[in-house]
Amino acid sequence: MLHPPALPLSGHRAPEGPPLEGSRSSPAGIEPGQAEFLAVIERHLSQCRRYGQPLAVLSIGIEGVGTLDGRPVDGMESAVSHELWNRLRARTRAKDSVVRLAGLEYGVLLPGCRPKDAPGTRQRLALTLGGVYALGSDPVITRVSIGLASLCADIDNAAGLWAAALEARADGRPPAAPTAPAANLRR
């Protein structure tokens, strides 16, 4: 006897509506809200504190989609967002968490990424994620902004890390070097 496709074979049942994508570890791939994402950051923080590892948090957003000659393109955001999601997951490690947030935003948690290495990681992702996407009949250019925050003595909680990453993305500035390593991190 075949199982009806509308019912899951076992485990958590996804909510009705269009399929949503979430972190690699989320059970049903549900887009988390702000509180749920802060809880994911907090879980990573507790693991990093326990093992004395650094943590980098990236806030990634699609700022615009246009034609090769610079004209804005309407209706391609969904396709670009899906392709960006695929590129992002392909360029991160298995231990990293990639989370698709509401709209055209993503959060990436990089445990073990040292503060001195995080700007290079940010730059590599910016080069990979922004640029030309061959979707549909004509290629489109995508502008992406990436904000970065690293666990340090000044920022040592989930809300602070996420706020710093969002602020760095909004300012369009490169990340500031942390003033001192977090007290609970081993050297």
Side-chain angles (χ1 to χ4, degrees):
M1 180 171 132
L2 295 175
H3 193 74
L7 299 174
L9 293 174
S10 65
H12 181 73
R13 182 175 177 164
E16 297 297 323
L20 303 174
E21 297 170 3
S23 73
R24 292 184 177 128
S25 60
S26 68
I30 299 168
E31 282 186 34
Q34 183 78 6
E36 290 88 357
F37 184 59
L38 289 176
V40 171
I41 296 173
E42 196 60 52
R43 280 194 306 272
H44 276 275
L45 275 173
S46 67
Q47 289 290 337
C48 287
R49 287 181 186 122
R50 180 176 297 133
Y51 297 110
Q53 293 181 332
L55 176 68
V57 177
L58 296 169
S59 169
I60 301 173
I62 298 173
E63 299 300 323
V65 178
T67 62
L68 293 177
D69 58 0
R71 291 188 319 254
V73 175
D74 292 329
M76 290 294 289
E77 288 85 5
S78 177
V80 168
S81 179
H82 183 72
E83 180 59 27
L84 185 136
W85 169 255
N86 290 335
R87 287 184 185 187
L88 185 57
R89 290 188 318 158
R91 273 116 184 135
T92 53
R93 305 167 298 181
K95 68 178 182 176
D96 299 334
S97 289
V98 179
V99 181
R100 186 173 185 175
L101 302 168
L104 302 174
E105 295 189 22
Y106 303 85
V108 180
L109 305 174
L110 306 170
C113 184
R114 295 178 299 202
K116 69 176 187 169
D117 297 334
T121 301
R122 176 185 173 267
Q123 185 63 29
R124 283 189 297 278
L125 283 175
L127 291 172
T128 300
L129 301 176
V132 177
Y133 284 71
L135 302 170
S137 60
D138 296 322
V140 294
I141 297 230
T142 303
R143 289 185 326 276
V144 176
S145 62
I146 301 178
L148 168 67
S150 293
L151 177 62
C152 64
D154 295 336
I155 307 170
D156 66 348
N157 61 40
L161 281 168
W162 185 239
L166 288 173
E167 183 181 324
R169 191 176 113 209
D171 292 346
R173 61 182 161 81
T179 56
N184 53 3
L185 293 180
R186 286 183 244 142
R187 291 190 181 237

